[in-house]
Structure formats: C-alpha cells, structure tokens
Amino acid sequence: MRIRLPLIVLLVLTFVAPPSAQVPQAPAATAQERVDADVLWKIRREATDRSQLMQTLQVLTDVYGPRLTGSPQLKAAMEWVVTQTTGWGLKNAHLEPWDFGHPGWTNERLSIHIVSPVKDALVAEALAWTPGTAGPVTADTMMLELPTRPTQAQLTQFFDAQRARVKGRIVLVGAPQKVDVTIVPPAKRREDAEVRAQFERDTPAGGGPPQMPAAPNGDVVPPARVAEQLDAFLVSAGAVARINDAGRDHGQIRAFNNRTFDINKAVPTVVMRNEDYGRVWRLMATGRTVQLDMHIVNQMHPEGRTQHNVVAEIPGTDKAAEVVMLGGHLDAWHSATGATDNAVGSATMLEAIRILQAIGVKPRRTIRVALWGGEEQGLLGSQAYVKQHFGTAENPKPEFAGFAGYFNIDSGTGRARGMTVFGPSDAARILREATAPFADNGFLGANATSSRRRGGSDHTSFNAAGLPGIGVSQDPIEYGTHTWHTNLDTYERVIEDDAKQSAMVIAAAVYQLAMRDQLLPRLEGAALPKLPTQ
C-alpha cells in the first residue's frame, strides 16, 4: 500500500492554502466538471474542525440501539433525527409511514446458565420474533441432528421417533460447527492500486445473465420447508426451548429472526456462541446429563406493523423541484447496538448534510437525506419510498423525471474509497471528476453499473426503478469478519477519522449534483436493461 503523510500533516498542508487555491482536478483531457474550490475548502474545514458525527453516532447507538425494525427504539431514533435535523436548520423533517405487516419485537432480558454437571454462565442472543420463557425455567438438554436432505417420509419418520424425547427438554439443534483458527486475517485496508483499477473503469459493468438454480430433486424436502417443519415439531412436541450454534469464532453471534414473524410458530430460541454450544454438546456426547437454567423476556409491539422512513432537506433554489438524495438504513439487528451496520452510515450521511447546511450552501436542487427502516428484512423501507415517490422507468410518477441521484453508505466503519453509479459511463466520469480533489483522503474514483437487480443495500431499490443509485465502497476494516450483524457491533468499533473523511467526500459529491446545469445522465431507452424478475 502506498504510504501517505499522517493526517495532521495533510490538514496543515490543506489549511495553509487560501480558499481560492486551485483544487486538484482530473486530467485535463477529461476534466469537464466545474468544481467549486471555495465550497470544497469550507466542507473540509467544517468536517474537520466542527464535526458532530461522533455525537450523532453515540446517540444512535448508546441511547437508541438496538434499532430492530418494528421496535420502539427505531421509531424513537427516527423522531430524534427529526428534532436534531430541525435544530440544524434543515426543513421538512418528518417520518413517512410504510406497511411492515408484522408486529414489532424486542428482547428485554436473557440469561442462560449451565447448572449441572458444572455451573457457569453461557453467552447467547435471542432469535427475533420468538417467544420468551414462562419465567425462569430449568430443564435437561438433548441433541437433535436432522437427517441430511431428507424426503418427506424420512423427515416425518424422524420427527415421530424423537417426539417423546423432546417434551420438557431444551433442544440443541445440529452438531457444533468446527470453526478453524484464522492464521492469516483478511486485510483491513484496500491497496490503492486495487481501488484505482476498480474505479477507473469507464465501461458500465452489467449485471450479467441471471443464474438459473439447479433443478430441485422432487423427493427431497427443500431446506426452508425443513426449517418450517422443525419449528412446528418443536412446538407440538412440547420443547422448552431451542438453542442454535452461532458457528463463529471468538464469541461472535449472529442472531436473525423466525422467518414467519409469528411467535406462536416457534419455541423460545437462542443462538449460543460456538464455544459454549460445543461445551454443552460434548458433555452430552460423553454421556453426561446437562441441565440449563434459562430466562428470556421478549415483548411484542403491535404498533410495529406500521414502520417509517425519516427524511429532512435543504430546499433548492431555481431547480427546487429536482432532488439529490443521500442516506442509509437506520434499522439494525438486535444482538448489539448496530454501530457499523448501520449507525455509522446514518451518522455519516447526517453529518454530510449538516456540513452543507452549516457552511450556508444555496443548492439549485433540493438536497434530501433519508434514513430507512426495514433494510435488514429486504430493503423494505427504501422500496416503499421509491414506489411511493418515483415509480419505475416503465411506470414513472411525476417526481421520477427530476431525480438527480441517491448516495448510499452501508459497509461499516471504513473510509469511502469509491462509488458505483447505476447509469452510463458518463455518470461515473462526472462523479470521478467531482471527487478527484479527495484523492488525498484515499477516495479514488467511480465506476458504473447497468444492473437493476436489488440486493446489498438501499441504493439498489433506486437502481431497480431505473434511477441513479450510487453505492459507496469502503475499506473493509473488520466489517465482514467481526461486526457485520454480530453482537460485537458497537460504538467502540467505529474509526472516527474514517467516518469524517467519508462525510467530507459525500458532501462534496452531493453538492456537485445539486449544482450542475443538467441532471446526472441515466440509462434510458434501449440502453436501459429490463427489470429482472426476482
């Protein structure tokens, strides 16, 4: 990796130059964007000297985390955003409802101890949308290993054989996973040469032909159906509780949800760290009777069926009916406080629009920040927003024509390194030139995609509609290895300087799109791929 000057030296070098100093530009052969050097100077100063990013992050995590979709914490966090952005001087801050269709759920208490043949505290997280226990319960454990790729007859026979054993037991489902020691950990920073190679492309990257799944074996029960039948079996057989193996190293736990969102279709369920799960399993495997004491308190929230997105904006001037958007999802899984996924992304986007408001920009287009709910359950909040406001290229609503782009960040604490825009190569060139002055921050360009397939994060809700969604690529840090959806995703795992640098470059890119004479180019007509079926 290319060695850069320490940040303090860069800041000194930046700030000793007068505001009117020439901002670095892309090579003269392709530089066509007019970049306002004075505004970029002000953005850098505000982002560096008067940042409020970490204060915002602390409130979103420590005060309102976790922020599971449907929970009171998520709504309270959004209401705080309305108050905070209004205090910054933004306009039209409000919540916009959408239909989640499921009640909310929260875990209020969870304790689990092994009481025989040894005594110790065990580490686990509740599976969302499962019931709690009826007060503290103590019960023997049992092992349950399902047959591999069973037919319906084999699965039914297996459940019938196990039914009498399950009643009154805490059931460990599946043998412990063997988690190997990581000898060479993945890199936390990306090499500059690798980033440049990715974001210097001018040719749009297509989505590729859809991958056809292998033809199912008609005699084998699909995994989703096996899981559904297992839940129903444990309920009907009278299991006290269920324990799943987290299957990750160093105590990491990812706990998601009962897919039916119906607590009547599952028993109290926890995901236990691999180290404790393996210990309990081995004790049973060597002939010992294991007894656990468990207490889980979960609450349902019927009002969670109606969920919200939160928006606020800086009104535009002569092109106020057109809009540039930036945002990220505010919801998070419940095992931790959702810092790197995605409170830091939300805080970064709030900071970017706060910076622009604080330096007094008068954008031609309206700049709107949006924080979404329901991303973790399938991009639900952003899909609802796009459908309500914009429609699709095939069936557009009036706001569709004036949309200038949506910037999204959702890959942890690492600093922004590049952007991918749904659009022609010229859209990527515009973003590349607009952000060229931030190469000293490690931001190295933009490329294009023509894929309308949803997935990954909320910018693809815009892509699917045929609108220019812009995904921000970041350094990985420990996102995929330690914090993504785990019980370790807390405030302590955020790198402050990285988040500040991201807010800085995003603010500059947003401002550029808000001030251009023309909208960001789009894929239109024959160049626009058909919306894939999914």
mmCIF file of all heavy atoms in Angstrom, residues 266-293:
data_model
loop_
_atom_site.group_PDB
_atom_site.id
_atom_site.type_symbol
_atom_site.label_atom_id
_atom_site.label_comp_id
_atom_site.label_asym_id
_atom_site.label_seq_id
_atom_site.Cartn_x
_atom_site.Cartn_y
_atom_site.Cartn_z
ATOM 1 N N ALA A 266 -42.989 -20.884 16.934
ATOM 2 C CA ALA A 266 -41.630 -21.214 17.367
ATOM 3 C C ALA A 266 -41.607 -21.344 18.880
ATOM 4 O O ALA A 266 -42.460 -20.784 19.583
ATOM 5 C CB ALA A 266 -40.637 -20.143 16.907
ATOM 6 N N VAL A 267 -40.639 -22.067 19.389
ATOM 7 C CA VAL A 267 -40.399 -22.126 20.831
ATOM 8 C C VAL A 267 -39.377 -21.053 21.179
ATOM 9 O O VAL A 267 -38.725 -20.493 20.287
ATOM 10 C CB VAL A 267 -39.893 -23.516 21.248
ATOM 11 C CG1 VAL A 267 -40.939 -24.585 20.951
ATOM 12 C CG2 VAL A 267 -38.564 -23.851 20.576
ATOM 13 N N PRO A 268 -39.215 -20.709 22.464
ATOM 14 C CA PRO A 268 -38.142 -19.779 22.827
ATOM 15 C C PRO A 268 -36.815 -20.263 22.240
ATOM 16 O O PRO A 268 -36.436 -21.430 22.418
ATOM 17 C CB PRO A 268 -38.145 -19.834 24.354
ATOM 18 C CG PRO A 268 -39.559 -20.186 24.715
ATOM 19 C CD PRO A 268 -40.000 -21.132 23.637
ATOM 20 N N THR A 269 -36.129 -19.375 21.519
ATOM 21 C CA THR A 269 -34.945 -19.776 20.758
ATOM 22 C C THR A 269 -33.811 -18.792 20.973
ATOM 23 O O THR A 269 -34.020 -17.578 20.928
ATOM 24 C CB THR A 269 -35.266 -19.853 19.254
ATOM 25 O OG1 THR A 269 -36.356 -20.766 19.058
ATOM 26 C CG2 THR A 269 -34.070 -20.346 18.458
ATOM 27 N N VAL A 270 -32.606 -19.338 21.198
ATOM 28 C CA VAL A 270 -31.418 -18.507 21.312
ATOM 29 C C VAL A 270 -30.344 -19.039 20.377
ATOM 30 O O VAL A 270 -30.351 -20.206 19.980
ATOM 31 C CB VAL A 270 -30.868 -18.458 22.752
ATOM 32 C CG1 VAL A 270 -31.906 -17.897 23.716
ATOM 33 C CG2 VAL A 270 -30.382 -19.828 23.216
ATOM 34 N N VAL A 271 -29.423 -18.140 20.023
ATOM 35 C CA VAL A 271 -28.221 -18.509 19.285
ATOM 36 C C VAL A 271 -27.062 -18.378 20.264
ATOM 37 O O VAL A 271 -26.836 -17.303 20.828
ATOM 38 C CB VAL A 271 -28.010 -17.599 18.060
ATOM 39 C CG1 VAL A 271 -26.766 -18.036 17.285
ATOM 40 C CG2 VAL A 271 -29.240 -17.620 17.160
ATOM 41 N N MET A 272 -26.344 -19.475 20.487
ATOM 42 C CA MET A 272 -25.291 -19.524 21.510
ATOM 43 C C MET A 272 -23.914 -19.462 20.859
ATOM 44 O O MET A 272 -23.705 -20.026 19.778
ATOM 45 C CB MET A 272 -25.429 -20.808 22.320
ATOM 46 C CG MET A 272 -24.447 -20.939 23.484
ATOM 47 S SD MET A 272 -24.787 -22.422 24.481
ATOM 48 C CE MET A 272 -26.287 -21.891 25.345
ATOM 49 N N ARG A 273 -22.998 -18.790 21.529
ATOM 50 C CA ARG A 273 -21.653 -18.729 20.964
ATOM 51 C C ARG A 273 -21.095 -20.142 20.807
ATOM 52 O O ARG A 273 -21.371 -21.049 21.596
ATOM 53 C CB ARG A 273 -20.737 -17.857 21.809
ATOM 54 C CG ARG A 273 -20.371 -18.406 23.176
ATOM 55 C CD ARG A 273 -19.356 -17.505 23.854
ATOM 56 N NE ARG A 273 -18.991 -18.008 25.171
ATOM 57 C CZ ARG A 273 -18.049 -17.466 25.944
ATOM 58 N NH1 ARG A 273 -17.397 -16.383 25.535
ATOM 59 N NH2 ARG A 273 -17.769 -17.991 27.120
ATOM 60 N N ASN A 274 -20.304 -20.324 19.765
ATOM 61 C CA ASN A 274 -19.807 -21.635 19.384
ATOM 62 C C ASN A 274 -19.049 -22.303 20.522
ATOM 63 O O ASN A 274 -19.154 -23.531 20.725
ATOM 64 C CB ASN A 274 -18.902 -21.473 18.151
ATOM 65 C CG ASN A 274 -18.277 -22.768 17.693
ATOM 66 O OD1 ASN A 274 -17.082 -22.986 17.901
ATOM 67 N ND2 ASN A 274 -19.056 -23.622 17.053
ATOM 68 N N GLU A 275 -18.325 -21.530 21.295
ATOM 69 C CA GLU A 275 -17.519 -22.094 22.370
ATOM 70 C C GLU A 275 -18.380 -22.727 23.467
ATOM 71 O O GLU A 275 -18.024 -23.777 24.032
ATOM 72 C CB GLU A 275 -16.617 -21.010 22.965
ATOM 73 C CG GLU A 275 -15.593 -20.436 22.000
ATOM 74 C CD GLU A 275 -16.106 -19.308 21.112
ATOM 75 O OE1 GLU A 275 -17.341 -19.068 21.099
ATOM 76 O OE2 GLU A 275 -15.292 -18.646 20.449
ATOM 77 N N ASP A 276 -19.513 -22.078 23.810
ATOM 78 C CA ASP A 276 -20.404 -22.635 24.826
ATOM 79 C C ASP A 276 -21.253 -23.766 24.267
ATOM 80 O O ASP A 276 -21.506 -24.777 24.951
ATOM 81 C CB ASP A 276 -21.319 -21.532 25.385
ATOM 82 C CG ASP A 276 -20.579 -20.577 26.310
ATOM 83 O OD1 ASP A 276 -19.487 -20.943 26.780
ATOM 84 O OD2 ASP A 276 -21.098 -19.473 26.546
ATOM 85 N N TYR A 277 -21.708 -23.603 23.040
ATOM 86 C CA TYR A 277 -22.512 -24.648 22.406
ATOM 87 C C TYR A 277 -21.712 -25.952 22.326
ATOM 88 O O TYR A 277 -22.223 -27.041 22.648
ATOM 89 C CB TYR A 277 -22.929 -24.188 21.012
ATOM 90 C CG TYR A 277 -23.952 -25.055 20.325
ATOM 91 C CD1 TYR A 277 -25.304 -24.757 20.423
ATOM 92 C CD2 TYR A 277 -23.573 -26.159 19.561
ATOM 93 C CE1 TYR A 277 -26.264 -25.536 19.772
ATOM 94 C CE2 TYR A 277 -24.515 -26.947 18.907
ATOM 95 C CZ TYR A 277 -25.863 -26.631 19.021
ATOM 96 O OH TYR A 277 -26.799 -27.405 18.378
ATOM 97 N N GLY A 278 -20.455 -25.837 21.897
ATOM 98 C CA GLY A 278 -19.610 -27.020 21.790
ATOM 99 C C GLY A 278 -19.388 -27.692 23.127
ATOM 100 O O GLY A 278 -19.368 -28.931 23.227
ATOM 101 N N ARG A 279 -19.246 -26.891 24.173
ATOM 102 C CA ARG A 279 -19.022 -27.463 25.505
ATOM 103 C C ARG A 279 -20.233 -28.269 25.956
ATOM 104 O O ARG A 279 -20.092 -29.407 26.433
ATOM 105 C CB ARG A 279 -18.731 -26.341 26.502
ATOM 106 C CG ARG A 279 -18.478 -26.828 27.920
ATOM 107 C CD ARG A 279 -18.343 -25.665 28.884
ATOM 108 N NE ARG A 279 -17.962 -26.121 30.216
ATOM 109 C CZ ARG A 279 -17.877 -25.323 31.278
ATOM 110 N NH1 ARG A 279 -18.157 -24.028 31.145
ATOM 111 N NH2 ARG A 279 -17.534 -25.809 32.454
ATOM 112 N N VAL A 280 -21.422 -27.692 25.818
ATOM 113 C CA VAL A 280 -22.636 -28.396 26.237
ATOM 114 C C VAL A 280 -22.817 -29.669 25.423
ATOM 115 O O VAL A 280 -23.163 -30.742 25.956
ATOM 116 C CB VAL A 280 -23.866 -27.471 26.103
ATOM 117 C CG1 VAL A 280 -25.152 -28.242 26.364
ATOM 118 C CG2 VAL A 280 -23.752 -26.287 27.061
ATOM 119 N N TRP A 281 -22.584 -29.584 24.130
ATOM 120 C CA TRP A 281 -22.750 -30.752 23.252
ATOM 121 C C TRP A 281 -21.777 -31.866 23.646
ATOM 122 O O TRP A 281 -22.149 -33.044 23.713
ATOM 123 C CB TRP A 281 -22.538 -30.331 21.803
ATOM 124 C CG TRP A 281 -22.858 -31.394 20.801
ATOM 125 C CD1 TRP A 281 -22.049 -32.432 20.401
ATOM 126 C CD2 TRP A 281 -24.069 -31.529 20.045
ATOM 127 N NE1 TRP A 281 -22.668 -33.190 19.452
ATOM 128 C CE2 TRP A 281 -23.920 -32.664 19.217
ATOM 129 C CE3 TRP A 281 -25.247 -30.801 19.981
ATOM 130 C CZ2 TRP A 281 -24.909 -33.085 18.332
ATOM 131 C CZ3 TRP A 281 -26.245 -31.218 19.100
ATOM 132 C CH2 TRP A 281 -26.076 -32.345 18.295
ATOM 133 N N ARG A 282 -20.513 -31.506 23.896
ATOM 134 C CA ARG A 282 -19.517 -32.520 24.238
ATOM 135 C C ARG A 282 -19.831 -33.187 25.576
ATOM 136 O O ARG A 282 -19.603 -34.395 25.752
ATOM 137 C CB ARG A 282 -18.125 -31.889 24.264
ATOM 138 C CG ARG A 282 -17.585 -31.519 22.888
ATOM 139 C CD ARG A 282 -16.131 -31.093 22.941
ATOM 140 N NE ARG A 282 -15.914 -29.900 23.741
ATOM 141 C CZ ARG A 282 -16.004 -28.653 23.275
ATOM 142 N NH1 ARG A 282 -16.340 -28.448 22.006
ATOM 143 N NH2 ARG A 282 -15.775 -27.624 24.070
ATOM 144 N N LEU A 283 -20.350 -32.408 26.521
ATOM 145 C CA LEU A 283 -20.745 -33.011 27.792
ATOM 146 C C LEU A 283 -21.825 -34.067 27.577
ATOM 147 O O LEU A 283 -21.781 -35.159 28.159
ATOM 148 C CB LEU A 283 -21.237 -31.929 28.758
ATOM 149 C CG LEU A 283 -20.156 -31.028 29.368
ATOM 150 C CD1 LEU A 283 -20.792 -29.845 30.091
ATOM 151 C CD2 LEU A 283 -19.258 -31.826 30.317
ATOM 152 N N MET A 284 -22.803 -33.757 26.755
ATOM 153 C CA MET A 284 -23.846 -34.746 26.448
ATOM 154 C C MET A 284 -23.272 -35.925 25.668
ATOM 155 O O MET A 284 -23.631 -37.084 25.915
ATOM 156 C CB MET A 284 -24.975 -34.083 25.649
ATOM 157 C CG MET A 284 -25.852 -33.145 26.455
ATOM 158 S SD MET A 284 -27.330 -32.643 25.525
ATOM 159 C CE MET A 284 -26.617 -31.519 24.333
ATOM 160 N N ALA A 285 -22.374 -35.639 24.715
ATOM 161 C CA ALA A 285 -21.825 -36.692 23.865
ATOM 162 C C ALA A 285 -21.001 -37.695 24.661
ATOM 163 O O ALA A 285 -20.844 -38.850 24.229
ATOM 164 C CB ALA A 285 -20.974 -36.071 22.761
ATOM 165 N N THR A 286 -20.482 -37.289 25.795
ATOM 166 C CA THR A 286 -19.687 -38.197 26.632
ATOM 167 C C THR A 286 -20.527 -38.804 27.753
ATOM 168 O O THR A 286 -19.989 -39.291 28.749
ATOM 169 C CB THR A 286 -18.471 -37.467 27.211
ATOM 170 O OG1 THR A 286 -18.889 -36.247 27.853
ATOM 171 C CG2 THR A 286 -17.474 -37.120 26.110
ATOM 172 N N GLY A 287 -21.862 -38.743 27.599
ATOM 173 C CA GLY A 287 -22.743 -39.472 28.491
ATOM 174 C C GLY A 287 -23.229 -38.740 29.717
ATOM 175 O O GLY A 287 -23.896 -39.340 30.571
ATOM 176 N N ARG A 288 -22.958 -37.451 29.820
ATOM 177 C CA ARG A 288 -23.376 -36.692 30.990
ATOM 178 C C ARG A 288 -24.747 -36.045 30.755
ATOM 179 O O ARG A 288 -25.046 -35.612 29.654
ATOM 180 C CB ARG A 288 -22.346 -35.623 31.335
ATOM 181 C CG ARG A 288 -21.009 -36.202 31.800
ATOM 182 C CD ARG A 288 -19.949 -35.117 31.898
ATOM 183 N NE ARG A 288 -18.720 -35.606 32.496
ATOM 184 C CZ ARG A 288 -17.759 -36.255 31.825
ATOM 185 N NH1 ARG A 288 -17.903 -36.461 30.514
ATOM 186 N NH2 ARG A 288 -16.675 -36.681 32.444
ATOM 187 N N THR A 289 -25.533 -35.967 31.784
ATOM 188 C CA THR A 289 -26.806 -35.249 31.728
ATOM 189 C C THR A 289 -26.529 -33.788 32.002
ATOM 190 O O THR A 289 -25.934 -33.426 33.021
ATOM 191 C CB THR A 289 -27.793 -35.800 32.769
ATOM 192 O OG1 THR A 289 -28.053 -37.179 32.470
ATOM 193 C CG2 THR A 289 -29.095 -35.015 32.750
ATOM 194 N N VAL A 290 -26.951 -32.932 31.083
ATOM 195 C CA VAL A 290 -26.711 -31.490 31.195
ATOM 196 C C VAL A 290 -28.025 -30.785 31.483
ATOM 197 O O VAL A 290 -29.032 -31.030 30.817
ATOM 198 C CB VAL A 290 -26.071 -30.930 29.909
ATOM 199 C CG1 VAL A 290 -25.868 -29.423 30.031
ATOM 200 C CG2 VAL A 290 -24.753 -31.629 29.613
ATOM 201 N N GLN A 291 -27.979 -29.918 32.464
ATOM 202 C CA GLN A 291 -29.170 -29.157 32.844
ATOM 203 C C GLN A 291 -28.858 -27.667 32.744
ATOM 204 O O GLN A 291 -27.811 -27.199 33.199
ATOM 205 C CB GLN A 291 -29.580 -29.510 34.273
ATOM 206 C CG GLN A 291 -30.991 -29.112 34.646
ATOM 207 C CD GLN A 291 -31.385 -29.694 35.992
ATOM 208 O OE1 GLN A 291 -30.829 -29.303 37.019
ATOM 209 N NE2 GLN A 291 -32.341 -30.608 35.992
ATOM 210 N N LEU A 292 -29.779 -26.934 32.105
ATOM 211 C CA LEU A 292 -29.609 -25.499 31.928
ATOM 212 C C LEU A 292 -30.729 -24.750 32.631
ATOM 213 O O LEU A 292 -31.860 -25.234 32.722
ATOM 214 C CB LEU A 292 -29.626 -25.119 30.451
ATOM 215 C CG LEU A 292 -28.578 -25.747 29.524
ATOM 216 C CD1 LEU A 292 -28.733 -25.194 28.119
ATOM 217 C CD2 LEU A 292 -27.173 -25.521 30.049
ATOM 218 N N ASP A 293 -30.385 -23.565 33.086
ATOM 219 C CA ASP A 293 -31.367 -22.626 33.642
ATOM 220 C C ASP A 293 -31.463 -21.459 32.667
ATOM 221 O O ASP A 293 -30.436 -20.866 32.295
ATOM 222 C CB ASP A 293 -30.908 -22.148 35.026
ATOM 223 C CG ASP A 293 -31.910 -21.219 35.669
ATOM 224 O OD1 ASP A 293 -33.076 -21.607 35.781
ATOM 225 O OD2 ASP A 293 -31.524 -20.082 36.042
#
